[in-house]
Amino acid sequence: MPDYKLTYFNGKGTAELVRLVFAAGGIVYEDVRLQQDQWPELKPKTPMGQVPILEVEGTMLCQSNSIARYVAKLAGLAGKTPLDQARVDMIMDGMEDLGKKGHGVYWEKDEEKKAEKKKDYEETFLPQFYTCMNKLVGDSGHFVGNELTLADITFFNMTTLVGNYMKLPNVDEFSGLKKVMDHVTSNPGIAKWLKERPETPF
Amino acid sequence: MPSIKFTYFDGRGLGEVNRVMLAAGGIKYEDVRLHESKWAGMKPTTPMGELPLLEVDGKTICQSNSIARYIAREAGLAGKSSLDQAEVDMIMEGVRSLFDKAAQIFILPEAEKAARKKKLEEKEAPELLEYLNKLASNKGYFVGDQLTAADIALYVNYESVGSLTIALPSLDKYPNLKKVADNVKANPGIAKWLKERPVTTY
């Protein structure tokens, strides 16, 4: 019985970052995928009425980014010093902003407004964001230090998810970001997971 | 302790959790309050075009949540073990989501505002506060039996949401959360800050 039990729906969504970190760290965990009809019974038992949750040492953690940071610490991917950890954190939070803004466009009900927002997101926001993030990549091809951290993995995961419904800038035009993506996809644990993970609708 | 410079606008908003934690930790810092007119000139020099910023040890950290986690660690408010830290994290993210929802509503056009405001005030906020009340101990601490950043985040975000003209239920309805707020206010460094901080419109 693994020491860690992750519960989410059968999709990537906000749990995939955690799964990627477990994979990169080579840490065994139970990857529980809920059916929709199982959710109402579980919901009041969770800390904040949401998934993903991680059960560990008799405690339930919620909030996907908090779980990801915890697993990253276990896997040695959180950043070495407090300041490094803060920089990993800030990259994660920056990517969260990209995701939230993309969601805002995706869920816009008014078709005309949605088209306008999508155009602005793809043609103005994303190029500016990529330019900004590219500057934050070090010569090593990592966001923080000389090794893979949660920051690199978050960039990969969030852009991949958003890329499912938005046109992303071509990462080949951003040399720093390209290196980050290559580092992530060539990590043995992650490469294996990307090949083996279930195909899901989201 | 390296010298610390914290930059935000002249208001509480996304900056106040950090200022309160610095006060709780007795950490001296330069509290830079930027006038809005100066922002356009400063923006391109920042890591992600946003405030607040923390400058420490020649490095610049952005993203209010990341700054908060860093200061929490420096101030001894982050939680003792990795698991404790994850629990502090998840509470901070949960309460922050309340502030984010309120801030999104605040900037909506009037026509959409009323319905969203009602939903937050009558459904989403009471639900989340109910969950949070269960997560806090009856001694008024979210994690362990000492003040952490989680407790401070609840107090500051609750206060800030109120200043965004959202009518939250009174904390009297949530006895554990009321104790959390009392514990925060009773911390000597925080009590002093609450008395002396500049009065601002938000």
Side-chain angles (χ1 to χ4, degrees):
Chain A
M1 182 91 272
D3 296 330
Y4 310 100
K5 181 170 159 186
L6 179 71
T7 303
Y8 188 61
F9 300 111
N10 185 23
K12 297 190 224 45
T14 51
E16 194 62 13
L17 179 62
V18 179
R19 297 188 185 114
L20 286 165
V21 183
F22 269 125
I27 300 173
V28 174
Y29 70 105
E30 202 184 332
D31 181 17
V32 175
R33 289 159 186 261
L34 284 175
Q35 298 301 315
Q36 287 289 351
D37 61 6
Q38 292 173 307
W39 176 229
E41 204 203 309
L42 177 62
K43 184 175 161 129
K45 299 181 185 158
T46 64
M48 292 182 204
Q50 293 175 339
V51 276
I53 52 170
L54 185 73
E55 291 169 77
V56 48
E57 287 181 38
T59 280
M60 241 187 221
L61 296 178
C62 67
Q63 296 289 346
S64 57
N65 286 336
S66 295
I67 298 171
R69 273 187 292 272
Y70 171 72
V71 179
K73 278 181 197 159
L74 297 174
L77 297 167
K80 295 192 192 321
T81 64
L83 208 36
D84 277 355
Q85 283 164 21
R87 286 188 66 87
V88 168
D89 268 359
M90 87 182 196
I91 301 292
M92 272 187 87
D93 283 348
M95 295 312 298
E96 187 73 17
D97 285 349
L98 175 123
K100 274 200 187 124
K101 209 174 152 77
H103 265 99
V105 176
Y106 186 75
W107 290 109
E108 172 61 61
K109 292 189 174 74
D110 180 315
E111 283 304 321
E112 214 181 286
K113 266 198 200 148
K114 184 171 177 167
E116 221 179 283
K117 281 186 179 176
K118 190 168 192 280
K119 188 169 164 22
D120 179 72
Y121 186 82
E122 290 175 341
E123 296 179 18
T124 307
F125 173 75
L126 280 179
Q128 276 175 3
F129 189 88
Y130 268 53
T131 303
C132 176
M133 294 305 275
N134 194 53
K135 283 201 197 103
L136 295 173
V137 182
D139 294 333
S140 61
H142 295 286
F143 277 112
V144 181
N146 301 322
E147 291 172 353
L148 196 73
T149 64
L150 180 55
D152 304 324
I153 300 174
T154 306
F155 181 80
F156 166 79
N157 183 58
M158 193 55 92
T159 52
T160 308
L161 289 177
V162 170
N164 284 331
Y165 56 90
M166 293 290 186
K167 185 170 180 303
L168 298 173
N170 183 356
V171 80
D172 291 336
E173 294 173 16
F174 300 89
S175 60
L177 298 179
K178 174 96 179 68
K179 284 190 197 144
V180 167
M181 294 296 268
D182 289 343
H183 277 133
V184 174
T185 53
S186 63
N187 169 278
I190 292 181
K192 184 170 188 282
W193 172 248
L194 293 180
K195 227 170 42 180
E196 295 176 354
R197 67 181 172 183
E199 285 289 321
T200 50
F202 66 97
Chain B
M1 178 94 266
S3 74
I4 294 186
K5 182 168 154 188
F6 180 72
T7 304
Y8 188 57
F9 298 110
D10 187 16
R12 285 170 281 120
L14 295 175
E16 195 62 9
V17 170
N18 298 302
R19 296 190 188 110
V20 173
M21 283 198 292
L22 287 161
I27 297 173
K28 285 196 165 42
Y29 69 105
E30 200 186 333
D31 182 15
V32 177
R33 290 164 184 258
L34 205 67
H35 194 267
E36 257 107 23
S37 61
K38 297 227 167 76
W39 175 229
M42 188 183 178
K43 187 173 159 133
T45 68
T46 65
M48 293 182 200
E50 288 176 344
L51 293 182
L53 294 179
L54 189 76
E55 289 162 85
V56 53
D57 242 6
K59 292 229 168 91
T60 301
I61 307 291
C62 66
Q63 293 291 343
S64 55
N65 289 332
S66 296
I67 295 171
R69 275 185 292 275
Y70 174 79
I71 293 175
R73 271 190 293 262
E74 296 298 292
L77 298 166
K80 299 192 193 320
S81 62
S82 287
L83 203 39
D84 281 353
Q85 285 163 18
E87 288 188 290
V88 169
D89 249 0
M90 82 184 196
I91 303 291
M92 286 181 78
E93 292 205 75
V95 294
R96 174 61 194 261
S97 71
L98 201 57
F99 176 84
D100 286 344
K101 283 198 169 94
Q104 277 161 20
I105 293 170
F106 194 68
I107 57 174
L108 283 177
E110 284 307 318
E112 297 176 48
K113 207 168 182 166
R116 284 290 294 121
K117 190 170 183 283
K118 191 168 166 25
K119 189 175 175 202
L120 181 62
E121 289 175 345
E122 296 181 12
K123 185 172 183 300
E124 292 167 334
E127 263 178 29
L128 181 59
L129 289 170
E130 196 59 61
Y131 276 110
L132 291 171
N133 191 55
K134 287 205 193 91
L135 292 170
S137 71
N138 57 15
K139 296 209 169 69
Y141 300 110
F142 276 112
V143 182
D145 50 16
Q146 287 178 338
L147 201 71
T148 63
D151 308 313
I152 295 173
L154 176 81
Y155 176 79
V156 175
N157 279 286
Y158 184 87
E159 183 189 59
S160 294
V161 171
S163 76
L164 289 171
T165 71
I166 300 289
L168 289 177
S170 162
L171 284 186
D172 292 339
K173 285 194 173 160
Y174 309 97
N176 295 341
L177 297 185
K178 176 95 180 49
K179 293 219 176 84
V180 167
D182 290 342
N183 285 334
V184 172
K185 285 186 280 187
N187 172 278
I190 296 178
K192 185 169 186 285
W193 172 250
L194 294 179
K195 221 168 48 176
E196 296 175 353
R197 67 181 173 183
V199 177
T200 49
T201 51
Y202 65 97

